[in-house]
């Protein structure tokens, strides 16, 4: 049973380009969470999705950032017109259900560098 | 509570000593707590969890203590080893969203 798979592991983009980060949850998991981590800092919640629905995007910037979790395929975090401040590690986690006693499993992250 | 951009505090311990990492959580309605370990270049890994109806839970070499009165969580690592060097995060869940604390970097000196 493969864990949470994120790709690419490393992504370099020039300012103004688009970044697409992919997350395949663990088998049987229908809940996906995206977190952002700056160097030497903690993980900051961005968005929580279930299949085809965004449940909570309170941590996501209003502009340039979007997320989806289609019925088929991985969850995608999309950053348009990237700026240097978007450089960070982006982690995806998945869980089987939501609420208490629900452990979320994390992927290895995508490290985005904007040059 | 949620990380707000503060740099990580650091704890340095001698190999073989016990380590205690502390965390203050923000939401008194949170009812499930997890400690994660994050090694350099990797995603967080589950260490141990505790429900709000408990005040202590033990695992292999690790113990989590929960004090709901002051909204405080601690992780104790017995006989700390070099492989324990990592960043440790506490996380709280109240509902569906897992909120991470700021994290503590643990250095283990040989």
């Amino acid at each position: 049973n493969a864990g949470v798979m994120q790709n690419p592991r490393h992504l370099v983009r020039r300012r103004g380009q688009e970044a697409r980060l992919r997350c395949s949850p663990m088998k049987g998991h229908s809940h996906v969470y995206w977190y952002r981590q700056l160097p030497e800092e903690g993980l900051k919640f961005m968005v929580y999705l279930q299949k085809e629905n965004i449940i909570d995007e309170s941590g996501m910037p209003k502009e340039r950032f979007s997320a989806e979790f289609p019925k088929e395929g991985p969850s995608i975090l999309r950053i348009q017109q990237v700026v240097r401040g978007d450089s960070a590690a982006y982690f995806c986690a998945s869980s089987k259900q939501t609420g208490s006693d629900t452990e979320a499993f994390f992927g290895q992250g995508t490290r985005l560098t904007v040059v | 509570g949620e990380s707000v951009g503060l740099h990580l505090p650091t704890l340095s311990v001698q190999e073989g000593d016990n380590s205690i990492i502390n965390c203050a959580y923000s939401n008194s309605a949170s009812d499930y707590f997890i400690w994660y370990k994050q090694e350099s270049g990797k995603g967080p890994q589950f260490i141990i969890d505790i429900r709000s109806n408990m005040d202590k839970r033990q695992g292999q070499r690790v113990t989590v203590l929960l004090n709901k009165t002051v909204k405080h969580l601690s992780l104790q690592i017995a006989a700390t080893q070099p492989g324990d060097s990592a960043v440790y995060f506490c996380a709280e869940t109240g509902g569906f969203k897992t909120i991470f604390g700021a994290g503590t970097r643990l250095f283990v000196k040989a």
Side-chain angles (χ1 to χ4, degrees):
Chain A
N1 184 15
V4 177
M5 303 300 292
Q6 288 188 250
N7 69 82
R9 290 293 309 277
H10 300 274
L11 182 61
V12 179
R13 284 287 177 265
R14 295 185 186 279
R15 281 178 294 170
Q17 290 184 319
E18 178 180 287
R20 291 173 71 90
L21 288 63
R22 294 175 193 78
C23 170
S24 297
M26 284 181 69
K27 189 176 180 181
H29 288 193
S30 59
H31 302 258
V32 165
Y33 315 80
W34 284 93
Y35 291 83
R36 171 176 151 143
Q37 186 177 38
L38 294 172
E40 295 299 302
E41 293 187 8
L43 290 97
K44 183 171 166 56
F45 170 82
M46 297 181 73
V47 62
Y48 161 49
L49 310 101
Q50 290 182 29
K51 281 286 185 182
E52 298 185 275
N53 290 306
I54 295 174
I55 307 302
D56 182 349
E57 56 182 347
S58 59
M60 202 139 78
K62 297 272 185 285
E63 296 177 354
R64 301 189 298 108
F65 285 71
S66 62
E68 62 178 20
F69 189 16
K71 189 176 179 182
E72 301 291 336
S75 175
I76 306 286
L77 179 67
R78 185 179 173 208
I79 311 172
Q80 294 178 290
Q81 299 174 320
V82 295
V83 301
R84 288 232 169 95
D86 297 331
S87 295
Y90 293 84
F91 288 95
C92 167
S94 74
S95 66
K96 199 177 281 191
Q97 59 192 37
T98 190
S100 302
D101 295 12
T102 300
E103 182 188 342
F105 294 84
F106 281 83
Q108 297 298 306
T110 293
R111 276 145 191 85
L112 172 65
T113 302
V114 179
V115 297
Chain B
E2 186 159 13
S3 167
V4 290
L6 300 174
H7 287 278
L8 296 171
T10 298
L11 174 66
S12 187
V13 299
Q14 199 69 40
E15 181 180 358
D17 286 352
N18 296 335
S19 303
I20 299 176
I21 300 170
N22 296 304
C23 175
Y25 63 92
S26 58
N27 186 357
S28 54
S30 294
D31 51 9
Y32 181 56
F33 304 88
I34 305 174
W35 278 99
Y36 285 92
K37 173 185 180 183
Q38 187 179 25
E39 295 175 288
S40 181
K42 296 184 178 179
Q45 278 185 291
F46 173 93
I47 303 174
I48 190 167
D49 59 359
I50 188 167
R51 298 190 195 110
S52 59
N53 62 352
M54 304 168 70
D55 53 23
K56 181 179 179 178
R57 189 158 189 232
Q58 284 186 292
Q60 190 177 18
R61 283 202 308 120
V62 294
T63 301
V64 54
L65 299 177
L66 174 63
N67 185 332
K68 292 181 288 294
T69 304
V70 295
K71 293 192 286 186
H72 183 267
L73 206 61
S74 70
L75 177 71
Q76 300 177 1
I77 305 173
T80 313
Q81 302 169 0
D84 295 328
S85 293
V87 177
Y88 291 82
F89 295 97
C90 69
E92 56 182 300
T93 300
F96 56 76
K97 193 159 63 177
T98 297
I99 303 296
F100 283 80
T104 298
R105 182 178 294 283
L106 177 66
F107 281 114
V108 181
K109 297 177 285 188

